[in-house]
Amino acid sequence: MDYDFYIDLIAADKLKEATEYKNSCIPDVLYKYYWLDDNEEKNERRLNTLAEGKVYMSSLGGFNDPFEGQAFVFDENELRDKGWNLKWFKDFVEQINSNAGVGCFCNADEKEQNMPMWAYYANNHSGFCVEYLIDRKVKKFMYPVSYDDTRAPGNAIIGNIIDQTLELIKDGKGEDDMSGELNALNHMAYLSLTSKHKSWKHEKEVRALVPRCYGEYLKLLPKKIFIGINCKEVHKARLIEIAKNFHPYCEVFQMKNIANSLNHWLVEEEINLDN
């Protein structure tokens, strides 16, 4: 996705076109890997959420990238010279980070070959992977992750947002009176939640950003459930039970090793839910 083009459309007050362009970059199918381990209380919460046709929107604090929510870098000397307080800028970023729940999905139909994703996020194949169909109502929350070489200088972006917002308040105006420029700057700040270093590029991540006012969950029904090769029998039975409750909309598959193959691939074997 060309985020520069997206922001330019917003700056030109072409919000409908910007949304249509962004949504056109979101695939109709996405995957999410789930962790299962010996903590049965947490396992049951994950499985119950799946059974309810929902996806939990996490906070950034529990993610495995220490730079999550830190896409902007501020030049404190420059801020001081201009009479700005660094705390205002950090508080603004913290407000962005805390006001959106984040759901991480994978844009890659490579379950058979995607060993890192099974290892990182499904506890070395002990968990499971879910395929979701992404319709227009859900796509409005979805953003492709931008993989960058460096973090972004934040003085000008956040400074302009604060400046222009204070001017609106001073003039007795509100959100509906924002200029295209201010709207674009606010979107740039919001999109900092989708910025990661290029070393994570292999994950092909698409993120759901859901404002906290919508609640902690995104409604999404599982289309296919893929059970990890090391998944415990008790967890496998629960996943099959969940798939049966959504059947025939949902299918379930067991991942298996390929015997006597030169490829480092798995195979998926469908489990008959009619029995």
Side-chain angles (χ1 to χ4, degrees):
M1 175 172 169
D2 185 343
Y3 272 117
D4 289 335
F5 178 65
Y6 175 64
I7 293 297
D8 286 345
L9 288 174
I10 294 172
D13 286 323
K14 296 180 178 179
L15 300 183
K16 181 180 178 181
E17 292 91 335
T19 299
E20 288 176 350
Y21 168 69
K22 190 268 294 180
N23 288 352
S24 72
C25 298
I26 306 298
D28 296 328
V29 175
L30 289 172
Y31 299 86
K32 186 169 179 62
Y33 292 80
Y34 289 90
W35 185 283
L36 294 173
D37 55 23
D38 293 329
N39 188 326
E40 293 302 339
E41 183 179 345
K42 288 185 177 180
N43 292 340
E44 192 59 25
R45 283 205 298 268
R46 294 186 185 104
L47 294 168
N48 282 341
T49 300
L50 176 68
E52 292 168 0
K54 301 186 299 187
V55 177
Y56 178 67
M57 297 292 104
S58 306
S59 62
L60 293 176
F63 286 11
N64 57 3
D65 182 355
F67 288 97
E68 290 285 3
Q70 300 179 39
F72 291 119
V73 178
F74 299 108
D75 184 332
E76 190 170 357
N77 291 329
E78 181 183 69
L79 293 178
R80 189 183 301 112
D81 291 343
K82 293 184 177 181
W84 288 102
N85 187 331
L86 176 62
K87 186 177 184 302
W88 300 347
F89 286 66
K90 289 187 174 181
D91 286 348
F92 185 89
V93 171
E94 178 55 33
Q95 185 177 18
I96 294 172
N97 293 348
S98 61
N99 282 348
V102 182
C104 304
F105 298 82
C106 180
N107 175 20
D109 183 12
E110 299 170 349
K111 301 167 298 303
E112 301 86 354
Q113 305 170 46
N114 209 334
M115 300 303 115
M117 297 299 287
W118 280 106
Y120 299 162
Y121 302 110
N123 189 19
N124 292 319
H125 304 264
S126 296
F128 59 100
C129 173
V130 179
E131 175 183 304
Y132 295 102
L133 296 185
I134 310 299
D135 62 21
R136 289 186 63 186
K137 290 189 294 184
V138 176
K139 283 186 179 183
K140 71 179 181 180
F141 298 112
M142 294 288 186
Y143 297 84
V145 165
S146 174
Y147 297 101
D148 306 304
D149 290 322
T150 61
R151 297 154 77 189
N155 286 23
I157 294 173
I158 307 303
N160 273 311
I161 291 173
I162 295 174
D163 250 346
Q164 293 187 38
T165 301
L166 290 175
E167 282 297 317
L168 283 177
I169 295 171
K170 180 181 176 182
D171 295 339
K173 297 179 179 179
E175 186 176 331
D176 292 339
D177 300 304
M178 279 196 304
S179 66
E181 179 190 6
L182 180 54
N183 202 355
L185 288 168
N186 274 311
H187 271 79
M188 289 173 68
Y190 192 59
L191 290 173
S192 67
L193 295 172
T194 70
S195 177
K196 292 178 70 69
H197 185 255
K198 65 179 183 179
S199 59
W200 297 90
K201 192 172 184 178
H202 65 283
E203 294 191 352
K204 299 181 181 179
E205 185 180 347
V206 175
R207 287 194 167 176
L209 302 181
V210 180
R212 286 300 184 190
C213 60
Y214 284 86
E216 294 184 313
Y217 297 91
L218 183 65
K219 190 72 174 178
L220 264 180
L221 301 179
K223 180 62 178 172
K224 295 179 181 179
I225 299 173
F226 302 91
I227 301 171
I229 58 175
N230 296 325
C231 188
K232 292 181 179 179
E233 285 299 319
V234 63
H235 297 152
K236 176 179 176 178
R238 182 82 165 93
L239 289 167
I240 292 172
E241 175 190 342
I242 291 170
K244 283 184 175 180
N245 289 335
F246 289 112
H247 190 62
Y249 178 81
C250 181
E251 302 170 288
V252 63
F253 300 83
Q254 175 66 60
M255 305 304 293
K256 293 189 173 184
N257 284 327
I258 300 178
N260 299 320
S261 171
L262 294 175
N263 296 317
H264 290 83
W265 293 356
L266 304 175
V267 293
E268 53 191 54
E269 183 178 278
E270 185 170 4
I271 295 173
N272 188 348
L273 297 179
D274 292 322
N275 294 336

